[in-house]
Amino acid sequence: MGTPPADPRKKVTINTLRSLHQKREPITMITAHDFPSAHVADVAGMDMILVGDSLAMVALGMEDTSEVVLEEMILHCRSVARATKGAFTVGDLPMGSYEIAPEQALESAIRVIKEGRVQAVKLEGGLEMAPTIAKITRAGIPVLGHVGLTPQRQNALGGFRVQGKTTASALKLLEDALAVEAAGCFAVVLEAVPAEVASLITEKLQIPTIGIGAGNGCSGQVLVQVDMSGNFPPGRLLPKFVKKYGDVWSESLRAIQAYKSEVKSRAYPAPEHTYPIPKAEVADFERVINQPELDR
């Protein structure tokens, strides 16, 4: 579907991401939750596409990320994977699919890779999740870590609060980031962290950091696609770190309202939207169906 790029790019791999990091070239990452959103992100040239559990809210209308289950994530991963030809794809492990034991996490990760057809998994947590991350990476599955604000744990954190605002909490963030690096993560997301803290943590790590609300000193950036492209009506509360680069809502609303108006006025479909038939065939069809015996 759609017009492929004139010069298709090479598939982004773990080695591509490492090369970008070594060259200090920012890594671009965005979320997608279905074929169309992944298709446009891939054609736009994103380095990474994340099937984030934020799809619970933005695609499924749920209250928060804790509601989405593994089977739903796998379905969305599969849809995204079908559209993605160049970007490196990552699927989120949802709450409840990896916390019980490392063995549970590995089983879930295998399903996301085999059934979801993505290339890596992401899970939340720092030092306490290191054994789980190690279990998955030893099985040959790449893991993207996630520390700082971890939305699946919002209740324990007291809501969506910035992390690392004191020396003690910043040190804990560094400890967590170093732990997931040592456990084998190929990169780590830093969410809702002061820019200065995120920059210092980035310099202490050997793996890339992907920032979301963590300043431009990270190795790369990620945003939720429907937030940055403006898929929701004005007035929707967005995190401070979100910059709206488009207004998909207004354009879609304009198009649908125009369609409705033209249908009501019979302006659509116009002759150019219909299929031709010889006039003689129409006349013959009309003659046949209007025969008296057909009216009984």
Side-chain angles (χ1 to χ4, degrees), residues 64-77:
D64 56 48
T65 60
S66 68
E67 289 189 59
V68 71
V69 297
L70 183 61
E71 286 69 23
E72 291 166 328
M73 290 300 303
I74 289 172
L75 174 65
H76 285 272
C77 283

Side-chain angles (χ1 to χ4, degrees), residues 104-126:
Q104 180 211 23
L106 177 56
E107 183 177 347
S108 296
I110 289 172
R111 288 195 63 195
V112 170
I113 299 298
K114 283 180 64 67
E115 299 174 40
R117 310 308 300 153
V118 293
Q119 294 155 289
V121 298
K122 181 175 79 66
L123 60 82
E124 296 182 5

Side-chain angles (χ1 to χ4, degrees), residues 2-165:
T3 303
D7 183 19
R9 58 179 172 144
K10 291 183 178 179
K11 177 70 178 175
V12 175
T13 66
I14 287 281
N15 288 337
T16 309
L17 300 174
R18 288 173 179 153
S19 176
L20 291 173
H21 181 229
Q22 290 168 359
K23 293 186 294 184
R24 302 182 74 86
E25 179 179 334
I27 297 168
T28 58
M29 181 172 168
I30 200 167
T31 67
H33 59 267
D34 59 9
F35 190 98
S37 59
H39 189 201
V40 69
D42 196 53
V43 172
M46 298 303 296
D47 298 315
M48 300 175 69
I49 293 177
L50 169 66
V51 188
D53 59 3
S54 57
L55 68 83
M57 294 94 76
V58 303
L60 301 178
M62 295 174 176
E63 194 69 27
D64 56 48
T65 60
S66 68
E67 289 189 59
V68 71
V69 297
L70 183 61
E71 286 69 23
E72 291 166 328
M73 290 300 303
I74 289 172
L75 174 65
H76 285 272
C77 283
R78 202 153 51 221
S79 179
V80 166
R82 292 187 187 110
T84 307
K85 307 303 180 186
F88 186 85
T89 53
V90 182
D92 245 334
L93 293 184
M95 183 180 184
S97 69
Y98 64 93
E99 299 93 336
I100 295 173
E103 291 75 18
Q104 180 211 23
L106 177 56
E107 183 177 347
S108 296
I110 289 172
R111 288 195 63 195
V112 170
I113 299 298
K114 283 180 64 67
E115 299 174 40
R117 310 308 300 153
V118 293
Q119 294 155 289
V121 298
K122 181 175 79 66
L123 60 82
E124 296 182 5
L127 179 62
E128 77 287 354
M129 296 308 299
T132 295
I133 293 168
K135 182 80 172 178
I136 298 172
T137 57
R138 281 198 299 267
I141 297 175
V143 177
L144 174 63
H146 185 156
V147 301
L149 172 58
T150 45
Q152 292 175 10
R153 306 179 183 195
Q154 58 163 310
N155 294 325
L157 296 172
F160 295 99
R161 297 179 179 275
V162 177
Q163 304 296 301
K165 293 181 70 174

Side-chain angles (χ1 to χ4, degrees), residues 222-234:
V222 61
L223 282 176
V224 174
Q225 184 177 155
V226 298
D227 288 345
M228 58 79 67
S229 59
N231 279 69
F232 287 96

